[in-house]
Amino acid sequence: MSGKEGGLSYRQAGVDIDAGNRLVDLIKPFVRATRRPGADAEIGGFGGVFDLKALGMRDPLLVASNDGVGTKVKLAIDANRHDTIGIDLVAMCVNDLVVQGAEPLFFLDYFATGKLVPEHVAQVVKGIAKGCEEAGCALIGGETAEMPGLYSGDDYDLAGFSVGAVERDALLPRADVKAGDVLLGLPSSGVHSNGYSLVRKIVEKSGMKLDAVAPFDSSCTLGEALLVPTRIYVKSVLAAIKASSGIKALAHITGGGFVDNIPRVLPENTAAKVDLSKIPVPPVFKWFAKEGGVAELEMLRTFNCGIGLILAADPAQATGVENALRAAGEQPIRIGEIVSHKGEPVTLFDGKLALS
């Protein structure tokens, strides 16, 4: 083929195909580590393949989810730490699957950037693979897009997509969720991946640098504390579901916090009554409230405040559910109950968060 000497190339336009090929070679070992029955976790084809027959399920339903990590990505870029944000990406998707009783099967990612830095992307994918291993799902594909002019420099954004499966008769929430059911909370690892636009505003107001010692934890920097990855609840919750028939519903506490997420799994004419005094609030949230002057209700609608997942359990089996969760490595906390409430489901609060 011929062309004008000195003519423009794709690389001159800002897209480096060779860098993309080098990236594929860098991430192949991470991807292979996520193999599971049904998927060989190889990449390089035009699409990922999963063999549903390998599950051996009777009457499976597929459950799909997609999500991102919001402006937590900006903190990772500013802190030049790219090895954990991929765990967040997986967690935000697979936690949304397990609350419906589904086992995550496979995961795909989308990485968009202004300038491809293979070493940075490889660290992100390493985190994605680690998250997939924690969730027991295979990383079967993804897409990397270099888009100069749309993203600034080597800034990037992420999106994740996951599919799980559940037996039809085990889909959550169950139809028998009702007043009297016990609410159990599972601790979060920190801020998880919601509210980071407010987090960044608070950090800006404080005047602190990300490499400074965290004012609420002298063992790490502020950046390290704010980048602690989202907990993945998949294996512990699935183990508890298998061990006990008392789990009726689960809610992932993400954007919207307690206020908006718990009602999503409640029937009409009920409410979640949460005793805020039962919630052990991690120091990072106390710092947000003090440094940002954030009101309690705003905290409850923006952050998880220390509880990343909430279960509704049959009161007669609540102790058994707690024991099953503890056996799976969790530390469940009784934080309230479901009560009768006329009209649309809502969250009601008793007591106060320990924000000081």
Side-chain angles (χ1 to χ4, degrees), residues 73-287:
V73 168
K74 182 61 175 170
L75 276 182
I77 293 168
D78 290 346
N80 194 29
R81 181 171 177 178
H82 312 283
D83 58 337
T84 60
I85 199 74
I87 301 174
D88 288 289
L89 185 66
V90 175
M92 295 302 290
C93 293
V94 298
N95 286 342
D96 279 353
L97 297 179
V98 77
V99 296
Q100 294 185 264
E103 174 192 352
L105 303 178
F106 58 84
F107 188 88
L108 301 98
D109 68 275
Y110 177 77
F111 183 103
T113 183
K115 179 177 174 55
L116 186 62
V117 181
E119 290 72 22
H120 288 176
V121 188
Q123 285 298 300
V124 172
V125 176
K126 183 178 180 181
I128 291 172
K130 183 176 180 182
C132 286
E133 288 184 78
E134 287 185 30
C137 63
L139 178 56
I140 65 170
E143 174 69 11
T144 302
E146 191 171 18
M147 297 186 284
L150 185 58
Y151 292 90
S152 176
D154 58 0
D155 282 0
Y156 60 85
D157 196 12
L158 300 170
F161 311 85
S162 192
V163 172
V166 58
E167 294 283 10
R168 188 181 301 271
D169 58 7
L171 184 68
L172 298 176
R174 284 171 20 187
D176 62 343
V177 176
K178 61 185 179 181
D181 289 342
V182 174
L183 295 177
L184 303 173
L186 302 185
S188 67
S189 56
V191 191
H192 285 186
S193 298
N194 296 102
Y196 273 83
S197 294
L198 178 55
V199 170
R200 290 167 54 240
K201 282 287 187 184
I202 294 170
V203 172
E204 181 182 356
K205 179 179 180 292
S206 75
M208 294 195 66
K209 302 296 184 183
L210 294 177
D211 59 0
V213 175
F216 48 84
D217 186 349
S218 61
S219 69
C220 62
T221 66
L222 179 59
E224 288 168 343
L226 297 179
L227 288 171
V228 171
T230 307
R231 280 199 64 202
I232 293 175
Y233 296 95
V234 170
K235 291 183 178 178
S236 59
V237 168
L238 288 178
I241 290 173
K242 185 177 181 179
S244 171
S245 62
I247 297 174
K248 294 185 176 185
L250 296 131
H252 186 198
I253 306 305
T254 56
F258 292 76
V259 176
D260 294 336
N261 284 296
I262 309 175
R264 294 168 67 179
V265 299
L266 301 182
E268 291 283 314
N269 298 313
T270 65
K273 191 173 183 180
V274 176
D275 184 349
L276 298 178
S277 68
K278 300 293 186 183
I279 297 173
V281 181
V284 60
F285 296 110
K286 298 180 181 182
W287 184 70

Side-chain angles (χ1 to χ4, degrees), residues 273-338:
K273 191 173 183 180
V274 176
D275 184 349
L276 298 178
S277 68
K278 300 293 186 183
I279 297 173
V281 181
V284 60
F285 296 110
K286 298 180 181 182
W287 184 70
F288 289 166
K290 180 180 179 181
E291 189 64 38
V294 185
E296 182 183 73
L297 185 58
E298 186 70 16
M299 292 289 295
L300 288 164
R301 196 172 189 181
T302 306
F303 301 116
N304 66 64
C305 297
I307 299 293
L309 204 75
I310 291 176
L311 301 87
D314 185 314
Q317 300 184 66
T319 298
V321 171
E322 289 174 306
N323 290 338
L325 288 165
R326 290 192 186 99
E330 292 289 349
Q331 296 177 314
I333 304 162
R334 292 202 183 200
I335 62 170
E337 63 178 338
I338 297 175

